[in-house]
Amino acid sequence: MPARTDNVRDPELVAALLMMRRGQAYWARKLNELHDDEFDGPSRVPGWTRRQLIAHVGFHARALARLVEWARTGVERRMYDSPEQRAEEIDFGATLPTEALRNLCAHAAVHLNVEWRDLPEASWRSEVRTAGGRLVPATETVWMRTREVWIHAVDLDNGGRVTDFPPELVDALLEDLVRVWRWKIRVGDRDVILEPVDRAQRHRVQIEGDRGDPLIVRGTAADLVTWGTGRGDKNVSTPEGDRPPPAPGWP
Ligand code: ZN
């Protein structure tokens, strides 16, 4: 019989699952607060209406559930067949009646949670492939969902703010930004240093062969996450007091 609770004892993974579930609850709350007639409005993701964003968050849960299923069965599954298929799916989902769209999102999240719950402890180390092509342990799917639900709750643009996030999540997002930029920024590009004014530690991307004039951006940790994830540059500045250029892409 499948377990009714997670098969995990690793305290780090237990904490990660908790943070993901808090994020799922935060996303669901912001979505519940949204009236049906507000679905057609723009989201904070450039080019996407709220409908497209909501469809994306639902289909993202389905895509991750396929990866967790792969970890459980050993039979390879993909997150998405192609970028085109992913985009078509989102556009289709956006045409659904609001109630159906709400249900799609809620059911997909429940299904993903069941996949995680039933994953045997040993299978959490099995490798799966992200949409970007990287092989990662199945444990990574928890973080992939965590950052998605929290940040996209802000993208619904009905009151969600990074300043609402738990401090340990803000710290994890700062580390994720630097981690992602390390893959994305090319050798010789300008280095980036994040200097949170409310934290002891600063975060440096450390580009190999950088030009020697790193872009230093200061602000609270939450405001740096907002800038770094491309969600606005309020309250962040360079040491000279200038507005920083747009952050490198994330995720
Ligand atoms: Zn997303």
Side-chain angles (χ1 to χ4, degrees):
M1 217 175 92
R4 273 191 215 124
T5 51
D6 300 319
N7 298 306
V8 292
R9 271 165 298 179
D10 171 12
E12 236 179 78
L13 185 52
V14 169
L17 280 160
L18 180 63
M19 186 61 80
M20 183 283 304
R21 289 185 179 126
R22 287 171 74 184
Q24 182 65 47
Y26 182 68
W27 159 265
R29 195 169 81 232
K30 298 319 288 178
L31 182 53
N32 273 338
E33 288 168 4
L34 204 63
H35 295 282
D36 287 355
D37 57 10
E38 294 171 312
F39 270 45
D40 292 327
S43 78
R44 291 178 67 178
V45 176
W48 269 0
T49 62
R50 285 177 174 139
R51 289 179 159 279
Q52 283 165 306
L53 176 68
I54 297 161
H56 160 61
V57 171
F59 288 124
H60 177 262
R62 285 197 187 164
L64 283 183
R66 287 193 280 274
L67 294 191
V68 184
E69 192 191 316
W70 172 8
R72 179 168 53 79
T73 63
V75 179
E76 181 162 355
R77 303 286 315 269
R78 280 166 179 254
M79 275 189 84
Y80 305 103
D81 286 336
S82 66
E84 294 75 30
Q85 176 260 325
R86 174 180 175 273
E88 275 168 26
E89 192 175 57
I90 291 167
D91 288 340
F92 159 74
T95 65
L96 291 172
T98 25
E99 197 56 30
L101 196 47
R102 288 183 194 274
N103 287 339
L104 166 91
C105 217
H107 290 165
V110 169
H111 176 208
L112 174 58
N113 200 47
V114 168
E115 282 291 345
W116 274 324
R117 199 191 58 189
D118 292 345
L119 191 61
E121 187 150 33
S123 304
W124 281 94
R125 292 280 144 209
S126 302
E127 286 195 317
V128 294
R129 199 177 294 280
T130 68
R134 279 184 314 123
L135 274 174
V136 295
T139 48
E140 184 74 10
T141 58
V142 178
W143 174 248
M144 288 160 76
R145 186 63 179 168
T146 301
R147 63 182 187 188
E148 200 76 4
V149 283
W150 283 101
I151 294 286
H152 285 327
V154 174
D155 290 335
L156 274 178
D157 204 19
N158 64 332
R161 298 270 178 277
V162 176
T163 44
D164 293 343
F165 293 5
E168 60 270 38
L169 173 67
V170 171
D171 288 335
L173 283 164
L174 279 181
E175 277 168 28
D176 195 61
L177 283 168
V178 166
R179 194 169 60 121
V180 169
W181 291 341
R182 268 183 203 137
W183 307 319
K184 287 205 166 178
I185 301 179
R186 294 206 194 99
V187 171
D189 277 352
R190 193 176 184 192
D191 204 352
V192 183
I193 298 175
L194 300 174
E195 276 191 356
V197 294
D198 51 352
R199 299 285 193 277
Q201 203 198 338
R202 62 182 209 164
H203 300 263
R204 181 172 194 148
V205 180
Q206 222 136 27
I207 306 298
E208 210 183 305
D210 75 282
R211 304 182 338 211
D213 62 336
L215 169 65
I216 301 172
V217 188
R218 285 187 188 149
T220 63
D223 287 331
L224 287 174
V225 166
T226 306
W227 172 77
T229 56
R231 267 70 180 177
D233 61 2
K234 251 195 232 160
N235 308 322
V236 294
S237 66
T238 67
E240 294 76 35
D242 298 326
R243 185 175 273 214
W250 177 90

